[in-house]
Structures are given as structure tokens and as C-alpha cells.
Amino acid sequence: MEIFFGAFTSEWEQRRAAMLHELSLGPKRRSSAEDEMKRRLKAMAELGGGGSGAGSGGGSQPKMRRRAAKPILVAETRAAEASRPIEARLAAVAQGSQPAVVKMASYGAGARVGAMLNYVSRGGELAVENENGERISSREDLARLRGDWNHLFQNRAESRDIGSFTVVIATAAVSSDETMHELIRNSLTSAFSDRRYAYAVTRQADGALTVQGAVVLRSEQGERLSGDDKAANIVQARYDASAAAQGVAARFSFQGYGNGVEYGASNLRSLVERHDGNVRDDRGQVIGDEKLAGDLVQKEWRGDLHSRKGRDVMHLIMSARAGTNVEACENAARNFLAEQFAGHRYVFAMHDPANDPKEEGDGGKRPHVHAHAIITMRSESGDRIETTPQVFREWRATMAEMARAQGIAMEMTDRREFASPPAFTRNQVRPVSREGRTEHVGTSEAAQGRYDAKRGGWRGLAKAERSREYAIKATQSWEKIALASGDRRVVAYAEQLRDHLAASLSADQAEASVNVVHADFGSKFRANLVTLQEVVLEGQEMRETTRAEFEAYEKKVETALFRLERSVGPDERDDFDEVASVAREHVNGRRELMELYEMKGQAQEKQGTATERDEGQELRDDANEQWDAAVAKHGEAVVEAANDVLVGIETSREGLDRIGAGELSNDARVFRAEIERVLARTAELAVQGNTYMREVAEKDPELKRAIEAAEQTQERPAKDKGKSPANVDTVTETQRDPRPEEAEHRPDEPAEQAHGLASAVDVTNRLQDKVARDKEAAQRGGETTRTDPAQQHIPRLEELEREKLERRERDRDDRDR
């Protein structure tokens, strides 16, 4: 297949196309293709111009500075901290240095870049500066940035979590308000099934009831409504088929939908305000004020949303105290971004009270000087930014270093050095006043307590043993500063912080002696170790994972590690470090494979011709028709549960075919074993009542034999076999996970636990060996790409395979929408 360079418009896409084109030519023509690629890249570099990147606002051509992003390594952070001892930092703070503030405001998908740029530039009234030092002041240039960055975005659509609905119920007079509300809840539950909702009702002159409200779009079984006319038709059909519709006519419609807890809380508060607190939820509880509305969404609905957002860009804020020199602060922010995010695309702008066009009452003219930056999460070379507490610590250290170079007294600080309470997040509070310093109220009692502690300057320590050790070290440092300094103010400040830390440590120790003195650390450690093993090994079944699924898996592993660390005794610290290292290496291996799938999908998408796209569209249309027919016959949840397992069988069979054709060198036994495992799961689904799985088995002899074998081993009466659910709402969690009993078979003895941990280590080692072999094979093939966090070489075959899998996932998302 020939790839024409003119078919792509951006420089990044041309480079990728050239590399794939070269690989498709074979060894005999690689030399000429390589020369052609070098010649074209050189020409593009000459068009891009040169220079140091320190731009003025003139009409110069954009400078193509594409340095590789600096890897974020813990070793670098420790080296930086070693060069700036804790005593030096705290002594500078005691003498008046301000703390470095670098905080994350939000993430955003590619679709939100325009709104985020509009906020940073104050609607185009403030000029922004990009990574090349160029000043962008016109709205047209800002609008073009979205297109310039598009190749770095995944552009995943936000999930539709909460919908706004209206129901008109034509009914006769009811005897009381309670009877009316019971009638309404019966009607809504018949249409929405087990979804959570809240509503308000208005009586019409003709006796009809108009019900307005908000509903969680995802059911407990995993079915997600789209919140549009299509969803309205679905719930209308379910209501009409229910017993509640007998004698009571109702018309359902949706007016909109949104993403996340913030949207849901805002929507529900607005409903409460419009109806003067006459709002009830699906359980009949009165939602009488905005606080109760926020608590309902934050505390009860949050877990049902399963919300997801794209993370293509991040909004970073760098702050300094009021009165700091604006020019020096701007230079420090510029140098910080260039140092920390080299290779990424970004823009930033300074907001200071003197030049901010936004009025104070509208949230502008903040008294402190600060810079806003919008940064792409992915660099030009494929690296993604990591946002862990350790990384933020490094960012603060770098920002402080750049500020000191500009004459600003600034230091990296840690809240454990001052016994400060943890920060509150924007999901825990909502603003109520923007006059001067923004005032907030908590969205729950716990959130309000956290907000009061932070704003009130309360003292407290983190509970982890590592944090206690760090606080002891900080106490000793404050003591040294108090003894060594001759300045009375420095001595008084150091002694005050020393006393605060000492008091917090004593209080924490007293609480620990009361609550933890009788704890069985050994038993708790073993139990948490088993839990960690089970969570880590979940990744063994993650053959084809989306980024959202991987992030959920990674979060579970880190949570299990956190719980395990809390139960570690002093003698088990070395063992924990080894276990944590193995677990994180396993997770990193899964991340690399997931990134490979994503990058392979992008490559295959770019090299498809127009004819192939037309053929693919016909195949997708046919697949969509088959899908719709199956959903109409069996129900969406039944088909979805069966399809998730059938995809695994198809992928493994395709791998066997490629091994037979000589395209892959993998061991065929691995694919055969995977097919047998997935066939067993498939047969269990069919036996448990999945009618769509039985229909597919009629065309698949191997699957049919597996189902027959599973039926023979079943102990239940034959008459219970093959039952199908009446509708989508009756699909149980057992169908979605046909192996719930496995969670109960956990090792109880220490020897079995040790064996399970050894298995996890062995799996990790095999994964590392596979990545190393793939790296050597890619180096011989000549293709180079980047994964997170380090550069790896991957085979082109895997890159093409991943495109196929990702295209299948997009088709499924299109059907959902």
C-alpha cells in the first residue's frame, strides 16, 4: 500500500506517515525511503526557522522547538532536595521567603480547550504566550490553537451521567399529597427502573401533573441512557409496558444531560430553588434546601455515576504573594514551564490586579499575582505527564528555583513541616462570594470541616508512619534554626513551629496509644497482602483495556498498597518495599501495553485509504444492524455481557491464525489456553440464561461444545437451564461477572499467600522479558516510538493490531450514543 505524503496536513502526521511508509517498503527500498524522509524533515525544519525561542510579538514564523520531555524521575527530585537541605529551606521561610504554589485547577478534554483558553485570556483581552515565546493576542489565533494541538488529543467524549427530564401525567384527582407522590414515584420507577432520581411536581388547571427532575443515567446493571430523544423513547416504551401505565397515561421527555457531580449538584440545586424546596427523591425524602441537594449528589449519587472525562490538557496555576514583582514572576513562570514541560504544547498568561480586565465581583482582579497555563498532557514524542504527589513536589521545587533566579524569595515547602491541614478540592466546596478572597461552603459536613481547618489554620499531622517520621525531622530542623539564628524574629518563628509540631506529634501519639495499642499488625499485614495480590493479578485478564479501565485498575492497586503500608511494622518495611516495587512494575507493564494499543490504533487509522474507509463503513453499518437486531431480541445488557467475552475469543483465534501463517512468533499454547479459559466463561454465561450467547453458539461448533459440557456439570435441575431474562432490567450482576464465587476462594494460610505473591512476581518478570524482547525486535526493524514514561521500540504489527481493536471500541461507543 502506497502512502502519499500530501495526504496529511500536519508536520507530526507527515513524520508518522513517512515512518510507516518506509517500513512497508521492505529492506531493499529502505535506504531511499530514509533519504527521502530526511530530506523532507530538513525542508520542514528550514520552513520552521530557528532561534532560541525567546520571542517577541513580531511577525516571525513559528519556531519548531520539539525537545523531548524530561522524564519525571524520583531520583531527580531527591537530587534536587539534597542540593537544597531542609534546614536551608525552613530558615529562608523563617526570614520571610514565600512558599512556592503550583496547583492543578482542572483537566479537560480536547473539546474544552477553547473554553479554557478563553478563560486564561479573559475572552481574548489578555495576550497569552506559547512554548516558543510567541505572543498570541487575537481571538482568531487562539481559535487556531485547538486545531494545532488536535493530533495530541485522544478526544474521548465525556460520559453522560445525569439527565434532566419532564413527565406529563394525565390523571384524575388524587385524595392527598402523599397519594399523589406515591403515584408519581410509581410511574417514574416503572420507567427508570433502579436509577436514582429527584423530582418536583406542578399541578395544571386541567388536573394533569407536570413532573420535572434529574435522574442518574446509568443503572445498577450498567445500562446507560443517552439523555436525549432516543432515551425518552426507551423509557416511554418501558412505562407503557408496565402495570403502572394501566389507567394512567404519561409522556416522558429529556431536556438535556451533563457530566459529573458538579453538573448534578448544580442541576438539583436549581430545581430546589425553582420549586421553593418542594423536591423529593426516589425514596420519598424531602430535599428542602440547596445543602441537602448537594449532599444527595455528593454522598449518594456519586458512586452510581461511573463518570469519566477526557484528560487531553491540564490547567495549572502558579501563584505568588500580593505585591510580588509581576515581571519577575512572569519570567519565573516562563522558565518553569520551559524546564518542566519541554516537548509539550502550552500557553500561559499572567493575571495581576492591575491589568486584569475582569472585575473583582466577577472573580477577577485577585489580590495575588498568578499565572494560568493550559498544557497538553501528551508531548510531541508521546510522553504523558504524571500528576502524583511526588511530581507536584518536584514542580514546586523547580518553581522556587526559577523564582529565586529572578530575585523572588521563594522556597518549596511541605505541609508536614508546618503541621498544616490538607487542602480541600473544588469538588468539596462551592464558591459563595468572590469579593476579595473567594469564600466557599462545603458540599458536606466532612468537606466543610476540611475547608474550616484549612482556612482557619488549624494544626494537624498526617497519620502515616512515614509522615510522622518526616514531621520529627522537621521538628529537629526548626530546633536547629532556633539555636543557630541570632535574629529574634527568626528564633520566635522557629520556636513557634517547633512547638506546634511537637504538640501535634504528642497528640497523635496519645491517640495512637488509645486506639491502636491492641491492633494485630501481623494479621492485618497478611490480610492486606492477600488483598494486594488479588488486585494486582486482576491485570492478568485485562487483554484489551481502555484508558478509563486501566486508570481504575491502577487506582485499586495504589489503594491496596496504601492500606498495606499502614499495617507494615518496622521489621516488615523492607518486605513491603520489595512488594510495592513488584506491584508497581506490573502496573507499569500494563500501562505500556495499553499505550501500545492506543498508538497502534492511531497509526492504522492514518494509513487507511478512502476505499478502505468506505468498506469499513459498510462493515460497521452491517455490524450496527446486527447489533440493533440482537438488542431488540435479547436486550442490550444481555448482548453487551456476551459481546465482552466473545471479543476475547475472536482476538485469541486471530492470534492463532497469525502464528500459523508465520506472522507471529509467539507460543501457540498461550493463545490456546486463553481460548479455553474464555470459552469456559462463555459457557457459564449461556448456562446462566444468556440467550444471545446460545444463539451465537449455533454458528460456532467449538462454543456449542463448551456450553454442552458446562450443562452436563451443572447440579441444578434441567428445567432451570436456558432461561432468558424477560427484559434488559432483569439482567443480574451474575451475568455481568459469571465468576462471583472466585472472590470467596482466597488463600487463608501463610504458605498459600507466599505462593500467590511469588506468582505475582513471576508474572511481572515474564512481562518485563516480553517488553525487552519487543524492544530488541523494534530496534532491528527501525521503528521508534515513545511510551510513558521512557522511550521504547515496538513492532509495527502490534501497532496495526491496536488500531483494529480501538476502532472496534469506537464503533461500540457510537452505538451507545
Side-chain angles (χ1 to χ4, degrees):
M1 179 183 65
E2 286 289 330
I3 295 180
F4 299 95
F5 294 100
F8 301 94
T9 57
S10 72
E11 172 256 349
W12 180 85
E13 291 171 327
Q14 289 174 343
R15 287 191 294 174
R16 176 182 287 274
M19 183 173 294
L20 294 176
H21 176 65
E22 173 209 346
L23 292 176
S24 67
L25 296 178
K28 295 183 179 179
R29 296 180 59 189
R30 268 183 196 160
S31 177
S32 59
E34 183 177 1
D35 294 338
E36 175 67 9
M37 183 178 67
K38 289 181 178 179
R39 185 183 67 79
R40 291 180 179 273
L41 291 178
K42 182 178 180 180
M44 286 188 289
E46 292 174 353
L47 288 174
S52 62
S56 61
S60 61
Q61 294 291 332
K63 303 171 180 62
M64 300 182 64
R65 184 182 68 181
R66 297 288 182 267
R67 295 183 296 170
K70 185 179 76 171
I72 300 174
L73 302 176
V74 174
E76 292 180 358
T77 304
R78 290 176 178 172
E81 291 175 359
S83 63
R84 190 71 174 169
I86 183 173
E87 286 83 5
R89 292 190 293 104
L90 297 184
V93 172
Q95 294 169 1
S97 290
Q98 58 179 300
V101 178
V102 179
K103 61 183 179 181
M104 176 73 66
S106 64
Y107 296 99
R112 291 196 62 239
V113 169
M116 297 172 79
L117 291 174
N118 187 65
Y119 176 82
V120 170
S121 66
R122 294 300 197 220
E125 295 187 51
L126 291 179
V128 300
E129 184 176 318
N130 66 12
E131 71 279 359
N132 295 322
E134 300 165 340
R135 306 284 289 184
I136 302 174
S137 56
S138 69
R139 296 186 177 182
E140 293 76 12
D141 291 339
L142 284 173
R144 278 194 292 269
L145 279 179
R146 170 68 176 81
D148 294 341
W149 294 1
N150 189 63
H151 64 278
L152 301 174
F153 298 158
Q154 294 177 325
N155 287 318
R156 288 196 62 186
E158 294 181 341
S159 58
R160 302 181 183 185
D161 299 329
I162 294 178
S164 299
F165 67 87
T166 298
V167 184
V168 178
I169 301 177
T171 180
V174 291
S175 58
S176 65
D177 286 348
E178 287 303 320
T179 304
M180 177 188 68
H181 284 290
E182 184 176 353
L183 171 67
I184 293 172
R185 287 196 298 273
N186 188 33
S187 300
L188 295 179
T189 302
S190 298
F192 294 144
S193 184
D194 57 5
R195 294 174 174 84
R196 302 297 306 274
Y197 59 82
Y199 68 92
V201 59
T202 303
R203 292 176 181 267
Q204 303 298 330
D206 58 357
L209 303 176
T210 300
V211 181
Q212 294 178 313
V215 60
V216 175
L217 294 177
R218 187 183 188 276
S219 70
E220 291 184 1
Q221 285 75 33
E223 181 195 34
R224 189 182 293 271
L225 296 174
S226 54
D228 52 16
D229 292 340
K230 179 181 177 181
N233 294 333
I234 292 174
V235 298
Q236 184 71 57
R238 290 177 180 171
Y239 175 77
D240 293 340
S242 68
Q246 302 299 324
V248 180
R251 182 187 301 173
F252 289 78
S253 62
F254 282 94
Q255 284 70 51
Y257 52 83
N259 172 268
V261 172
E262 292 182 0
Y263 172 84
S266 175
N267 192 323
L268 200 54
R269 290 189 188 109
S270 177
L271 184 69
V272 170
E273 183 179 358
R274 293 198 309 269
H275 292 272
D276 297 326
N278 295 320
V279 176
R280 300 197 182 196
D281 67 0
D282 53 303
R283 298 170 183 174
Q285 300 296 324
V286 177
I287 313 300
D289 54 41
E290 294 184 356
K291 182 180 183 302
L292 292 175
D295 288 347
L296 178 65
V297 178
Q298 291 275 358
K299 295 181 179 180
E300 300 186 28
W301 290 8
R302 178 191 291 272
D304 298 331
L305 300 183
H306 292 265
S307 180
R308 70 172 187 270
K309 289 185 178 181
R311 289 192 174 187
D312 294 325
V313 294
M314 67 175 180
H315 179 188
L316 203 66
I317 301 177
M318 298 141 282
S319 302
R321 285 175 179 168
T324 304
N325 183 276
V326 176
E327 183 178 359
C329 187
E330 182 176 13
N331 291 335
R334 179 185 297 109
N335 294 338
F336 163 74
L337 293 170
E339 172 70 17
Q340 203 67 57
F341 304 108
H344 291 260
R345 307 293 294 272
Y346 60 80
V347 295
F348 77 97
M350 293 298 300
H351 289 187
D352 68 278
N355 299 323
D356 193 344
K358 195 173 184 179
E359 294 300 326
E360 183 177 358
D362 298 328
K365 298 187 182 301
R366 302 288 88 188
H368 61 285
V369 180
H370 59 282
H372 292 263
I374 308 298
I375 308 166
T376 61
M377 295 295 291
R378 182 181 298 228
S379 72
E380 293 286 357
S381 55
D383 291 324
R384 285 190 67 84
I385 297 173
E386 296 182 12
T387 53
T388 63
Q390 191 66 32
V391 169
F392 275 103
R393 185 182 179 93
E394 178 188 350
W395 290 356
R396 295 198 304 274
T398 305
M399 182 63 193
E401 179 182 353
M402 298 303 172
R404 291 194 298 271
Q406 297 297 323
I408 302 174
M410 184 178 290
E411 296 291 338
M412 188 278 294
T413 59
D414 189 308
R415 74 178 184 88
R416 296 172 295 182
E417 298 163 353
F418 303 88
S420 298
F424 53 87
T425 67
R426 65 174 190 157
N427 290 333
Q428 295 173 322
V429 297
R430 59 186 179 89
V432 293
S433 173
R434 298 187 183 276
E435 295 292 335
R437 189 181 191 185
T438 305
E439 297 295 330
H440 302 80
V441 295
T443 55
S444 66
E445 292 184 6
Q448 184 65 46
R450 189 163 185 165
Y451 173 76
D452 292 339
K454 189 64 177 178
R455 284 293 174 91
W458 299 355
R459 302 294 176 180
L461 289 178
K463 303 300 182 183
E465 183 62 28
R466 183 172 54 186
S467 296
R468 283 182 49 82
E469 294 174 356
Y470 189 91
I472 293 173
K473 181 180 178 181
T475 304
Q476 296 169 349
S477 298
W478 285 119
E479 177 70 20
K480 293 177 183 178
I481 294 171
L483 294 174
S485 178
D487 190 323
R488 292 182 181 178
R489 290 176 296 179
V490 171
V491 172
Y493 184 82
E495 289 179 344
Q496 181 184 28
L497 267 298
R498 177 202 61 192
D499 295 341
H500 283 318
L501 283 169
S504 299
L505 286 168
S506 299
D508 189 62
Q509 183 63 36
E511 180 182 352
S513 64
V514 172
N515 298 327
V516 189
V517 68
H518 300 296
D520 182 3
F521 286 101
S523 174
K524 196 172 183 180
F525 176 79
R526 288 192 295 271
N528 287 331
L529 184 62
V530 172
T531 301
L532 172 64
Q533 171 197 337
E534 293 171 351
V535 171
V536 170
L537 291 182
E538 285 182 7
Q540 290 298 103
E541 299 178 5
M542 297 170 64
R543 294 289 182 180
E544 302 172 18
T545 58
T546 63
R547 180 168 294 275
E549 292 170 341
F550 171 78
E551 289 176 349
Y553 165 69
E554 183 181 32
K555 184 177 180 180
K556 289 176 66 177
V557 173
E558 290 298 329
T559 301
L561 281 173
F562 172 73
R563 291 174 178 171
L564 178 62
E565 185 179 17
R566 292 174 60 184
S567 60
V568 169
D571 298 334
E572 297 166 324
R573 170 59 59 178
D574 293 338
D575 293 336
F576 168 77
D577 292 339
E578 183 178 356
V579 171
S581 176
V582 171
R584 290 191 173 107
E585 286 176 3
H586 186 85
V587 173
N588 289 336
R590 297 305 311 178
R591 179 189 291 110
E592 291 170 359
L593 291 179
M594 182 267 298
E595 292 283 351
L596 291 180
Y597 278 126
E598 289 184 347
M599 298 185 70
K600 284 182 287 185
Q602 294 172 358
Q604 189 173 357
E605 183 180 8
K606 296 302 182 183
Q607 69 181 101
T609 62
T611 302
E612 292 172 334
R613 287 196 297 270
D614 293 339
E615 293 175 353
Q617 183 62 44
E618 293 175 1
L619 292 175
R620 286 193 293 272
D621 292 341
D622 182 62
N624 289 338
E625 292 176 0
Q626 295 178 6
W627 177 271
D628 293 338
V631 169
K633 182 176 180 180
H634 304 281
E636 184 173 0
V638 174
V639 177
E640 187 69 34
N643 187 65
D644 289 343
V645 183
L646 292 173
V647 169
I649 297 178
E650 185 65 21
T651 302
S652 298
R653 287 175 174 172
E654 186 174 338
L656 281 177
D657 294 339
R658 291 191 174 186
I659 291 176
E663 298 177 0
L664 287 177
S665 60
N666 302 62
D667 189 351
R669 291 175 296 180
V670 176
F671 287 92
R672 189 70 252 174
E674 177 65 13
I675 290 177
E676 294 297 332
R677 185 186 68 79
V678 181
L679 279 174
R681 293 186 61 190
T682 305
E684 290 179 16
L685 269 181
V687 170
Q688 292 166 1
N690 194 303
T691 55
Y692 179 68
M693 190 70 76
R694 290 184 175 274
E695 180 178 319
V696 175
E698 295 299 322
K699 303 178 183 179
D700 190 330
E702 187 176 20
L703 178 56
K704 187 174 182 179
R705 288 194 297 270
I707 295 175
E708 291 173 352
E711 288 176 337
Q712 294 175 2
T713 61
Q714 288 293 314
E715 298 179 359
R716 61 182 180 177
K719 64 181 181 179
D720 291 338
K721 297 182 180 180
K723 286 186 178 181
S724 60
N727 54 50
V728 174
D729 295 323
T730 62
V731 178
T732 64
E733 288 297 328
T734 303
Q735 290 175 309
R736 298 184 63 81
D737 185 0
R739 300 180 299 166
E741 299 85 7
E742 291 186 6
E744 300 177 1
H745 300 291
R746 298 179 178 175
D748 296 324
E749 299 298 329
E752 294 177 344
Q753 298 164 5
H755 176 71
L757 182 58
S759 299
V761 175
D762 182 59
V763 168
T764 304
N765 291 336
R766 291 200 301 271
L767 181 61
Q768 291 174 333
D769 293 340
K770 181 180 182 302
V771 173
R773 289 195 299 271
D774 291 345
K775 177 179 179 180
E776 293 174 0
Q779 287 174 337
R780 291 193 296 270
E783 179 184 1
T784 302
T785 186
R786 294 295 301 271
T787 59
D788 183 22
Q791 184 175 14
Q792 301 286 345
H793 300 272
I794 62 173
R796 176 175 176 266
L797 181 60
E798 288 189 348
E799 187 168 294
L800 299 178
E801 181 183 2
R802 184 244 175 216
E803 167 59 17
K804 179 179 178 180
L805 299 178
E806 185 169 274
R807 187 168 57 207
R808 183 180 302 162
E809 181 179 322
R810 286 198 304 271
D811 293 340
R812 185 182 306 164
D813 291 342
D814 292 340
R815 289 194 295 270
D816 291 341
R817 288 192 290 268

